[in-house]
Amino acid sequence: MFSILTGLFSADMAIDLGTANTLVYVKGRGIVLNEPSVVAYHVRDGKKQVLAVGEEAKLMLGRTPGSIQAIRPMREGVIADFDVAEEMIKHFIRKVHKRTTFTKPKIIVCVPHGATPVEKRAIRQSVLSAGARKAGLIAEPIAAAIGAGMPITDATGSMVVDIGGGTTEVAVLSLADIVYARSIRVGGDRMDEALIAYLRRHQSMLIGESTVERIKTTIGTARMPQDGRGAVMQIRGRDILNGVPKEIEINQAQVAEALTEPVQQICEAVMIALEATPPDLAADIVDRGVMLTGGGALLGDLDLELREQTGLAISVADQSLHCVALGTGKALEYESRLRHAVDYDS
Ligand SMILES: Nc1ncnc2c1ncn2[C@@H]1O[C@H](COP(=O)(O)OP(=O)(O)OP(=O)(O)O)[C@@H](O)[C@H]1O
Ligand SMILES: [Mg+2]
């Protein structure tokens, strides 16, 4: 038996296994772990040995010598590297579950609405072999909406847009079920790529992952600033032409220009969802507006840009980075009421 998984209480858990971040919610305790979905390996004689997981491993991304690999096992919301994902899940569960008992926990994990049966089975299998007694799956948009405090059990249409690292999921819910959902492979990662490509093209400069993250969270914006320039920041990278390190100033107008395409794709996904929604539910959404969740929802002025392009009222959820984990946790706490939202056996 997987002894580390043992605790005084059976400590059932909810896991948001995200492309960028993994969060673990323990029943009765709330969110107890929130770390980047990254695993660092040492490769020696062809054998992989885990060196670090989560926060510590993220610091190594882009800074590893040849013998060390830092891997993100999730891509576009699903497991891309099965073995590495399993290592990561095991590590996080072990970290949360320190005490000794004989009961294995029940674990609920959220999966993108568009995950295939094969992908779902892979996630369930990883959780079981990480030591769960029972593995349940919940659709991410439902978890996001619950976590954002939306009244999803009502017979009214609600729209939730979860903008994560790998994907943006747009969903219309009514009576605690999905009426419409669509996932596009556009999220924080795509925004990073767009910024990197922009700086390469316009400044002949190469920047690393930590710099791009800093740009997004410091002066990131989805809209052209009114003065045509906006706030500025200094960034460092490498000159592509001569390979020498250089420092430049970047402003919000440049960031908005770089992010035009991903922002546009998110706006279009919302419009397409609204058009595909049955008229009465669409009218509810016009009345009640749209809720944004996920880390991408924190991009500066994304709510304003979406409001302008779609004409809908847009809110950003409180604790948008935690919504999916909180919602999955609620599904665990109030299982009798939300039982049909959790799938234990497909
Ligand atoms: N202030 C911010 N502005 C813009 N982007 C941000 C901000 N804060 C976080 N992000 C981005 O949000 C993303 C992470 O969000 P989140 O944790 O919701 O994703 P995830 O759940 O891991 O991914 P997915 O749901 O696609 O599997 C990262 O790409 C990160 O750069
Ligand atoms: Mg997510």
Side-chain angles (χ1 to χ4, degrees):
M1 192 169 106
F2 194 62
S3 61
I4 304 156
L5 264 187
T6 46
L8 266 178
F9 308 101
S10 92
D12 291 338
M13 298 177 196
I15 303 182
D16 170 8
L17 196 56
T19 306
N21 302 300
T22 297
L23 284 77
V24 180
Y25 178 111
V26 172
K27 194 171 178 180
R29 285 170 62 198
I31 294 172
V32 296
L33 181 141
N34 179 0
E35 298 206 32
S37 308
V38 184
V39 180
Y41 278 97
H42 201 214
V43 188
R44 191 180 284 150
D45 305 329
K47 275 197 198 140
K48 282 181 179 175
Q49 197 187 358
V50 177
L51 206 62
V53 182
E55 209 65 67
E56 213 184 315
K58 189 180 179 185
L59 294 175
M60 300 181 183
L61 267 184
R63 290 203 167 91
T64 51
S67 58
I68 299 176
Q69 280 183 329
I71 300 175
R72 288 176 52 189
M74 310 294 295
R75 284 280 155 199
E76 296 170 345
V78 294
I79 295 181
D81 189 321
F82 195 77
D83 294 338
V84 178
E86 203 165 299
E87 285 289 346
M88 187 176 79
I89 298 170
K90 274 185 187 162
H91 176 93
F92 289 146
I93 293 177
R94 219 177 289 162
K95 200 163 172 183
V96 167
H97 224 293
K98 289 190 186 118
R99 286 170 284 178
T100 7
T101 183
F102 301 102
T103 336
K104 291 179 170 191
K106 173 169 77 184
I107 298 183
I108 301 181
V109 188
C110 56
V111 286
H113 172 74
T116 64
V118 173
E119 288 164 343
K120 287 185 190 174
R121 212 169 308 132
I123 290 186
R124 196 190 297 282
Q125 211 45 55
S126 280
V127 173
L128 289 172
S129 69
R133 142 175 68 92
K134 208 172 161 197
L137 304 180
I138 183 169
E140 226 160 344
I142 296 185
I146 298 172
M150 299 173 83
I152 62 151
T153 46
D154 293 2
T156 331
S158 317
M159 186 186 283
V160 62
V161 181
D162 180 56
I163 308 168
T167 57
T168 292
E169 301 221 335
V170 182
V172 175
L173 311 170
S174 176
L175 293 167
D177 212 345
I178 293 176
V179 177
Y180 170 94
R182 184 156 168 265
S183 173
I184 55 168
R185 297 183 170 207
V186 177
D189 288 345
R190 195 55 74 73
M191 295 181 197
D192 292 356
E193 287 162 19
L195 271 163
I196 291 171
Y198 180 91
L199 286 166
R200 184 187 300 134
R201 201 173 325 119
H202 296 270
Q203 305 283 341
S204 305
M205 183 167 169
L206 200 63
I207 56 166
E209 293 199 27
S210 55
T211 303
V212 83
E213 179 91 27
R214 230 161 25 84
I215 299 175
K216 275 196 307 186
T217 51
T218 316
I219 60 165
T221 179
R223 267 167 93 84
M224 199 45 80
Q226 285 189 333
D227 66 359
R229 185 159 181 270
V232 299
M233 74 183 279
Q234 297 292 123
I235 54 164
R236 274 189 265 169
R238 184 152 48 90
D239 192 302
I240 293 174
L241 304 175
N242 57 20
V244 177
K246 73 170 178 182
E247 185 169 321
I248 62 156
E249 189 178 270
I250 177 171
N251 63 43
Q252 284 186 305
Q254 292 170 305
V255 175
E257 191 187 335
L259 298 181
T260 308
E261 195 175 322
V263 167
Q264 197 54 38
Q265 286 167 324
I266 294 170
C267 292
E268 276 164 20
V270 173
M271 287 310 288
I272 291 170
L274 195 64
E275 282 162 22
T277 302
D280 286 346
L281 294 177
D284 294 341
I285 293 163
V286 171
D287 283 348
R288 299 160 60 141
V290 174
M291 182 68 82
L292 307 186
T293 65
L298 299 173
L299 179 70
D301 283 344
L302 181 61
D303 50 345
L304 287 182
E305 185 64 18
L306 266 167
R307 182 175 310 162
E308 192 167 292
Q309 289 210 26
T310 63
L312 297 167
I314 311 282
S315 333
V316 178
D318 290 343
Q319 298 185 278
S320 71
L321 277 158
H322 296 173
C323 284
V324 170
L326 289 173
T328 311
K330 270 200 181 151
L332 189 67
E333 306 270 4
Y334 304 103
E335 245 203 313
S336 49
R337 270 176 55 207
L338 292 163
R339 174 67 190 88
H340 67 283
V342 184
D343 169 10
Y344 281 106
D345 41 39
S346 67

